[in-house]
C-alpha cells in the first residue's frame, strides 16, 4: 500500500482541499461531513451520494496515493474504528498562557515529525540516497522557510565533501539549473509544492537531464510533476501555524534522514571526510582564539 499509512486520512483530505479540482472537492466535502456513511458505501453508491462519478472517486483515491477504492475504504474504516486521537495539532490563539503555548508547539512539532515518518516511502528514500551519493554536483532550491531547509542540507553535504550549492534567488536558481548535466542532482523544496520559482528551477534541471528530487507536503502537485524522486512531509498548517513552524520541522526531519542514510550507507566514504571537516574547523578556530588572547 502506498497510501497515507497511519497518518489521519480525514486530516489529509481536509489539508488538501485547495488542491482538489471542483468535483474532487465536492467528494472530499461529503467524506468529511459523513465519513461513517462513506465507509459503508460501494464506489458506485459513494459516487451517487456525493454527486460525483466512479471515475472521479477512483482518481481521488489515486491522488491520495491509494492503489484503488478498496484500499482507500479499508483505511477509512480502520481510522474510524480507532479511539479519538488526543494529540491533534493545536491551534495558537491570542492570549494563550505561556505553558499552553509551550505545550501546543511541542505537540505540533512532534505530531508533524511522527506523521511524516509514517508517510515516508523507503523505496523513494533509498533512490534519493543513491542519487546523492553518485551525483557530481547537487543543486538545492527553496524559497522563504524552505530556503532555510535547503541551506541546512547544503551545510551537511559540504561537511562530507559533496559538491553542493543552494539557491534561493529565482534567477540564480535558473542560471545554475541550466548548467546541470545527467551526472547531477537537483532538489526542490516547497511545503505547498506550488512555489513557482522552485517549480521553474526543478523543471529546468530536469530538462538538462539531471536527476530531480522534490520535497513537498503530501498530495502536493506542481513541483512533484518534474521530480524523478518524490519525498513527502505531512503537516497541518492552519491558523497562526501558517508561520511554517510544524512544516519546517517535518522538512528538516526528512533532510536529517537523507543525510544520516547517505553517511550510513557509504560509511567508509563519508565518515573520514566528516571527521576531517570537524577537526579542520576545530584546528583553525582554535588557532584564531589563541591569537586573539
Amino acid at each position: 500500500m502506498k497510501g497515507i499509512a497511519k497518518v489521519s486520512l480525514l486530516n489529509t483530505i481536509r489539508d488538501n482541499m485547495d488542491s482538489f479540482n471542483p468535483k474532487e472537492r465536492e467528494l472530499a466535502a461529503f467524506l468529511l461531513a459523513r465519513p461513517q456513511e462513506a465507509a459503508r458505501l460501494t464506489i458506485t453508491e459513494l459516487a451517487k451520494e456525493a454527486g460525483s462519478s466512479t471515475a472521479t472517486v477512483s482518481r481521488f483515491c489515486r491522488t491520495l496515493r491509494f492503489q484503488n477504492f478498496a484500499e482507500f475504504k479499508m483505511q477509512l474504516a480502520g481510522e474510524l474504528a480507532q479511539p479519538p486521537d488526543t494529540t491533534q495539532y493545536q491551534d495558537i490563539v491570542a492570549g494563550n498562557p505561556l505553558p499552553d503555548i509551550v505545550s501546543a508547539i511541542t505537540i505540533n512539532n512532534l505530531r508533524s515529525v511522527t506523521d511524516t515518518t509514517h508517510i515516508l516511502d523507503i523505496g523513494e528514500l533509498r533512490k534519493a540516497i543513491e542519487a546523492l551519493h553518485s551525483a557530481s554536483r547537487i543543486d538545492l532550491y527553496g524559497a522563504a522557510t524552505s530556503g532555510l531547509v535547503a541551506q541546512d542540507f547544503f551545510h551537511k553535504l559540504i561537511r562530507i565533501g559533496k559538491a553542493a550549492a543552494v539557491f534561493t534567488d529565482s534567477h540564480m536558481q535558473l542560471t545554475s539549473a541550466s548548467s546541470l548535466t545527467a551526472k547531477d542532482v537537483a532538489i526542490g523544496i516547497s511545503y505547498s509544492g506550488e512555489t513557482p520559482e522552485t517549480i521553474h528551477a526543478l523543471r529546468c534541471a530536469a530538462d538538462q537531464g539531471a536527476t530531480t528530487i522534490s520535497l513537498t507536503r503530501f498530495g502536493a502537485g506542481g513541483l512533484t510533476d518534474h521530480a524523478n524522486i518524490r519525498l513527502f512531509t505531512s503537516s497541518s498548517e492552519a491558523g497562526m501555524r501558517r508561520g511554517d513552524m510544524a512544516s519546517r520541522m517535518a522538512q528538516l526531519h526528512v533532510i536529517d534522514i537523507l543525510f544520516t542514510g547517505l553517511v550510513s550507507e557509504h560509511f567508509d566514504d563519508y565518515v573520514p571526510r566528516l571527521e576531517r571537516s570537524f577537526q579542520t574547523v576545530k584546528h583553525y578556530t582554535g588557532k584564531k582564539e589563541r591569537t586573539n588572547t
Side-chain angles (χ1 to χ4, degrees):
M1 172 178 168
K2 291 186 179 291
I4 61 173
K6 298 178 183 177
V7 180
S8 169
L9 174 55
L10 294 176
N11 281 347
T12 299
I13 293 172
R14 189 177 295 108
D15 293 343
N16 286 279
M17 282 292 281
D18 292 342
S19 67
F20 298 142
N21 65 41
K23 281 296 181 182
E24 290 174 334
R25 204 170 294 134
E26 289 181 16
L27 174 60
F30 178 86
L31 290 166
L32 292 174
R34 298 156 66 181
Q36 296 284 356
E37 179 181 347
R40 295 191 296 268
L41 300 175
T42 66
I43 187 171
T44 302
E45 291 168 339
L46 176 60
K48 181 179 179 180
E49 290 295 324
S52 184
S53 67
T54 56
T56 297
V57 175
S58 294
R59 185 171 58 250
F60 183 82
C61 293
R62 290 194 298 272
T63 296
L64 293 175
R65 303 193 175 272
F66 290 95
Q67 293 181 3
N68 50 48
F69 174 71
E71 195 174 77
F72 170 88
K73 182 178 173 179
M74 184 182 299
Q75 176 154 333
L76 177 60
E79 180 173 314
L80 293 172
Q82 296 299 315
D85 194 336
T86 58
T87 58
Q88 294 293 327
Y89 289 100
Q90 305 295 301
D91 207 351
I92 312 301
V93 297
N96 263 5
L98 185 56
D100 290 354
I101 291 174
V102 171
S103 176
I105 296 301
T106 300
I107 288 172
N108 290 348
N109 288 342
L110 287 173
R111 183 62 188 269
S112 178
V113 168
T114 300
D115 283 358
T116 295
T117 298
H118 291 154
I119 212 172
L120 285 174
D121 186 319
I122 298 299
E124 291 290 278
L125 279 172
R126 189 166 285 119
K127 287 193 289 185
I129 288 170
E130 286 309 306
L132 292 168
H133 175 62
S134 303
S136 296
R137 170 178 150 196
I138 301 168
D139 264 16
L140 297 149
Y141 311 131
T145 302
S146 294
L148 297 177
V149 175
Q151 286 275 4
D152 180 84
F153 201 17
F154 164 72
H155 293 158
K156 287 177 167 62
L157 292 170
I158 287 295
R159 291 173 62 200
I160 58 173
K162 298 299 296 186
V166 59
F167 301 95
T168 57
D169 176 83
S170 58
H171 294 287
M172 288 305 301
Q173 286 177 348
L174 288 171
T175 299
S176 182
S178 67
S179 66
L180 295 178
T181 71
K183 297 179 180 180
D184 305 319
V185 167
I187 304 177
I189 303 174
S190 167
Y191 170 71
S192 68
E194 301 293 347
T195 307
E197 297 83 356
T198 308
I199 292 174
H200 296 330
L202 202 67
R203 179 181 179 183
C204 179
D207 288 343
Q208 310 314 308
T211 298
T212 51
I213 302 172
S214 63
L215 176 57
T216 69
R217 68 182 172 90
F218 186 85
L223 190 64
T224 61
D225 293 340
H226 307 291
N228 304 121
I229 302 168
R230 301 170 182 179
L231 302 175
F232 295 99
T233 65
S234 177
S235 176
S236 177
E237 294 289 347
M240 289 183 65
R241 293 194 303 276
R242 292 193 183 276
D244 298 334
M245 291 181 283
S247 63
R248 184 188 69 248
M249 296 302 297
Q251 289 174 334
L252 289 171
H253 180 57
V254 176
I255 293 304
D256 286 347
I257 290 171
L258 281 177
F259 178 74
T260 303
L262 177 61
V263 174
S264 179
E265 290 285 331
H266 304 279
F267 193 88
D268 293 338
D269 290 325
Y270 296 126
V271 168
R273 300 181 193 178
L274 195 59
E275 179 63 22
R276 185 165 60 249
S277 68
F278 171 76
Q279 293 297 339
T280 299
V281 171
K282 181 179 178 181
H283 173 72
Y284 282 99
T285 55
K287 275 192 172 182
K288 183 176 180 181
E289 289 171 359
R290 288 194 295 273
T291 301
N292 291 338
T293 56

